[in-house]
Amino acid sequence: MSSLSRRDLLKAAPAAALPLLAGRLRGDDPPADPAFPGLTVRMYEPQNLEFPLSALKSWLTPNEQFYVRSHFAEPAVDPKTWRLTVEGEVEKKVELTLEDLRGMPAVTRPTTLECAGNNRAFVVPAVAGVPWGPGAVSNAEWTGVPLAAVLEMAKIKPGAVEVILVGADVGTVTGSPGAIHFDRSLPLEKARKPEVLLAYKMNGEDLSAAHGAPVRAVVGGWYGVASVKWLTRLVVTAKPHAGFWQTTDYSIYRRRNGLPEVAPITTMQPKAAIARPALHEAVPAGKPYKVFGAAWAGEAKVARVEVSTDGGKTWDAATLTGEDRPFCWRTWEYAWKVPAEKGRAKLLARATDADGATQPEKRDPDRRNYMINHLVPVEVIVR
Ligand SMILES: Nc1nc2c(c(=O)[nH]1)N[C@H]1C(S)=C(S)[C@@H](COP(=O)(O)O)O[C@H]1N2
Ligand SMILES: [Mo]
């Protein structure tokens, strides 16, 4: 029922029905649809919309709930005239239509994308950038062609090192040299891996405009910024690309001989996110509560998730559940015996990957305003 018709109905409700409605918001029961509720607006235009993590219900995020992170207005790309070019350090310049691409052998792989700015709202003191809560992360099944197959067609020249992925979207941002496209490079070593796709379908549906129609890159294991949407050009280079989106933006400091130098953001860091309880959720005292969430670790597998319900003093193993696929988040749960005493409780979760890397307790300033995976407690009300 639309809100309009519901309002009309309320207006028309007989007086006798009104006492029933008083004192609470009378809506329909929440729909059973896993895409309910919708996205949280962090910025209306360009669109920056957050997945409501506390409504996590399924390993695959429904398309309607998949977070959106766009730096410019959605470009109008006509799939009929759309072309993808492969240029630069190649023996043979390639130009593909959407039909060409769809005619190539397709693969379908689930992949989790997380924005490098996810959790930014939890950084103290506050930093610049879209103030994401915990939900700038989602998992979908992508269908397309391996980037490697398209690079192969163009025959890369010896000595080439990177491929720049260029989006059709364009605009001016603070510090940019006028109007620029969104672009990101991948070292050819990563670009040729099977987890890097040129995708035209998301969870079995044609890619939507918000997610990069008609074709986007999906770079498994790397922060979402590498997964360029509205892809139009692949430029193979003999030198590493030092573009705006991997130096001024989406870069961190890496120390060499103790001296910080600018480096592009690449792999997702281990993180366990608590979906429920949500921040300041009221949990019933003395009852069991199923704490649950998702954890991911970029190119590595999640080895374990631990939970603390006493603000980090003691830790207990959570149970990894559901699908276990590379480059994807893993759901987890933990049976919490909520104390009988009313008050507050501080919950934490931390992930450790198969290489032994774990989440830091404190924020590392070398990461600027990106790669936010230090531990942040979820405080709840026990009552
Ligand atoms: N062309 C283009 N590609 C882009 C972006 C963009 O603004 N323009 N945003 C990037 C960032 S920072 C992220 S986190 C992901 C988000 O993908 P989604 O909107 O499908 O969730 O897209 C990446 N690809
Ligand atoms: Mo991002």
Side-chain angles (χ1 to χ4, degrees):
M1 191 188 293
S2 77
S3 56
L4 192 72
S5 60
R6 186 186 301 145
R7 199 187 310 135
D8 291 345
L9 200 116
L10 282 175
K11 259 196 253 153
L18 287 177
L20 266 176
L21 303 173
R24 69 178 182 126
L25 288 170
R26 173 71 173 86
D28 301 317
D29 286 335
D33 182 342
F36 177 86
L39 295 154
T40 305
V41 180
R42 295 288 172 219
M43 193 188 288
Y44 188 61
E45 184 58 46
Q47 273 189 58
N48 286 284
L49 311 172
E50 184 166 334
F51 166 57
L53 184 70
S54 59
L56 176 74
K57 285 197 189 92
S58 53
W59 181 70
L60 287 176
T61 313
N63 288 353
E64 303 75 23
Q65 266 184 333
F66 201 104
Y67 83 97
V68 177
R69 202 297 178 238
S70 296
H71 293 78
F72 302 127
E74 267 168 27
V77 187
D78 178 354
K80 288 201 195 72
T81 55
W82 177 86
R83 297 288 182 274
L84 179 66
T85 58
V86 192
E87 38 187 300
E89 299 294 307
V90 294
E91 305 285 358
K92 201 176 115 213
K93 223 185 134 175
V94 169
E95 189 176 87
L96 298 172
T97 65
L98 190 54
E99 254 176 48
D100 294 335
L101 206 73
R102 284 176 175 264
M104 292 171 66
V107 288
T108 297
R109 316 176 56 104
T111 304
T112 296
L113 298 187
E114 182 194 12
C115 182
N118 192 26
N119 283 46
R120 192 177 278 139
F122 300 104
V123 177
V124 179
V127 288
V130 177
W132 297 108
V137 59
S138 301
N139 184 49
E141 207 162 58
W142 308 92
T143 300
V145 170
L147 172 57
V150 171
L151 294 176
E152 183 85 358
M153 292 168 79
K155 296 205 168 34
I156 292 173
K157 286 187 180 163
V161 292
E162 284 195 349
V163 55
I164 310 171
L165 318 177
V166 187
D169 50 335
V170 56
T172 307
V173 285
T174 312
S176 74
I180 56 170
H181 283 269
F182 190 85
D183 67 49
R184 277 289 296 205
S185 75
L186 293 175
L188 286 174
E189 199 209 339
K190 177 71 178 178
R192 289 186 168 117
K193 293 254 164 80
E195 68 267 22
V196 182
L197 294 187
L198 305 183
Y200 46 79
K201 277 183 189 283
M202 178 178 183
N203 292 328
E205 283 173 22
D206 284 350
L207 221 52
S208 66
H211 293 293
V215 177
R216 75 173 303 167
V218 173
V219 180
W222 284 32
Y223 280 108
V225 62
S227 293
V228 175
K229 304 192 277 189
W230 310 292
L231 203 59
T232 55
R233 298 171 65 199
L234 302 174
V235 185
V236 180
T237 65
K239 273 202 319 189
H241 181 51
F244 180 87
W245 306 101
Q246 53 204 68
T247 55
T248 306
D249 257 18
Y250 291 100
S251 65
I252 51 163
Y253 287 108
R254 194 173 44 201
R255 299 266 166 176
R256 233 199 284 214
N257 303 313
L259 305 173
E261 59 180 27
V262 171
I265 282 167
T266 59
T267 52
M268 291 189 278
Q269 298 300 300
K271 186 187 280 181
I274 299 175
R276 295 281 306 278
L279 184 65
H280 289 192
E281 182 173 327
V283 299
K287 298 247 170 67
Y289 186 104
K290 189 177 87 178
V291 180
F292 71 93
W296 56 96
E299 292 180 342
K301 282 236 178 175
V302 173
R304 63 175 188 278
V305 170
E306 295 155 293
V307 170
S308 172
T309 56
D310 57 11
K313 283 189 216 105
T314 61
W315 293 86
D316 227 351
T319 307
L320 301 177
T321 59
E323 300 275 342
D324 179 13
R325 301 284 295 271
F327 311 106
C328 289
W329 67 16
R330 188 87 196 264
T331 52
W332 58 265
E333 58 184 57
Y334 175 77
W336 179 30
K337 175 123 191 25
V338 181
E341 201 188 316
K342 294 180 181 171
R344 302 248 166 175
K346 274 186 187 173
L347 275 65
L348 292 139
R350 75 176 173 211
T352 302
D353 73 19
D355 303 324
T358 194
Q359 295 183 235
E361 257 165 52
K362 290 239 147 47
R363 174 113 192 105
D364 175 358
D366 281 2
R367 294 182 176 185
R368 301 181 59 207
N369 53 343
Y370 302 108
M371 295 168 68
I372 301 138
N373 74 330
H374 64 286
L375 301 179
V376 179
V378 172
E379 190 165 344
V380 300
I381 297 139
V382 178
R383 75 162 172 233

